[in-house]
Amino acid sequence: VGGGDGGVVREILKHECVEQVVQCEIDEMVIEVSKKYLPSMSACYSNPKLHQHIGDGMEFMRQHKAEFDVIITDSSDPDGPAEALFEQSYYELMKNALRSGGIISTQGECLWLHLELIKKMVTFCRNLFPTASYGYTTIPTYPSGQIGFMLCSKSPDTCFEEPLRKISDEEVEKMGLRYYNSDVHKAAFVLPQFAKKELQS
């Protein structure tokens, strides 16, 4: 849901095991502008594995039940139209749209700026899902150079902190991954003390 610039689609399709990507983007203009001005970001928009829908993400989730293995929400900040994507009701819709054992990854805001919102999200996610974790990464173009991810699973056996598929250095090079590796994956869940204390309480 979202991700109109095409970056998430591009990264997903680096994994050959992915059979299909379904994207729901509310603003078709974002897609067209990205194709024109961000060709490396939108490079996979012509991939036959991609199916696009233009429309509201919440409404899209209402229309799909038990259909997806993974749902990724790459939304704008929780001000204005995207605010609803940070509420429990949206996570309930995503949960219903997942198949058994499915997982969710959503934009989780910044520990330095939005800790109260993150705590609220972590709390309702832990009530909704048997497994819920918060991780973060560094992205220079985001406020404070950091952004988080809210990760949820319908399976109690999921361990987000450990990569399910460990990618060798050779595979990292072959896939053209400039940031991700298995060690970075594990480190994403090591929170600074102020955040660890707040989110565990």
Side-chain angles (χ1 to χ4, degrees), residues 9 11 28-29 33 39 70 72 83 86 93 95 105-106 111 139 150 161 164 200-201:
V9 170
E11 295 305 302
E28 189 171 14
M29 183 65 73
V33 168
V70 178
I72 299 172
E83 186 175 0
F86 292 80
L93 290 172
K95 182 180 180 182
S105 174
T106 67
L111 288 170
I139 299 182
M150 193 66 236
E161 293 77 9
L164 187 62
Q200 286 183 347
S201 63

Side-chain angles (χ1 to χ4, degrees), residues 178-196:
R178 296 179 60 207
Y179 186 86
Y180 181 88
N181 59 45
S182 296
D183 291 330
V184 164
H185 179 117
K186 290 185 241 182
F189 298 93
V190 180
L191 302 180
Q193 186 61 24
F194 75 92
K196 180 180 177 182

Side-chain angles (χ1 to χ4, degrees), residues 37-79:
Y37 296 106
L38 302 170
S40 65
M41 188 85 77
S42 58
C44 287
Y45 271 157
S46 59
N47 192 300
K49 290 184 177 182
L50 174 65
H51 303 273
Q52 286 183 319
H53 300 269
I54 305 301
D56 178 73
M58 286 197 68
E59 187 54 38
F60 184 80
M61 287 300 147
R62 284 190 191 97
Q63 296 169 2
H64 297 272
K65 307 291 183 193
E67 287 188 37
F68 303 110
D69 297 309
V70 178
I71 297 172
I72 299 172
T73 301
D74 180 18
S75 68
S76 53
D77 292 329
D79 298 306

Side-chain angles (χ1 to χ4, degrees), residues 113-173:
L113 303 173
H114 307 103
L115 193 55
E116 280 305 308
L117 172 64
I118 294 166
K119 184 175 182 180
K120 175 185 157 188
M121 291 168 63
V122 167
T123 300
F124 69 63
C125 284
R126 285 177 178 159
N127 289 329
L128 279 174
F129 294 90
T131 306
S133 296
Y134 183 87
Y136 71 99
T137 190
T138 56
I139 299 182
T141 54
Y142 278 29
S144 293
Q146 182 263 350
I147 197 70
F149 306 97
M150 193 66 236
L151 298 153
C152 307
S153 173
K154 290 181 81 170
S155 169
D157 299 323
T158 300
C159 178
F160 287 115
E161 293 77 9
E162 284 292 326
L164 187 62
R165 182 169 64 101
K166 293 186 179 175
I167 302 173
S168 68
D169 289 343
E170 292 76 17
E171 288 176 297
V172 167
E173 290 300 315

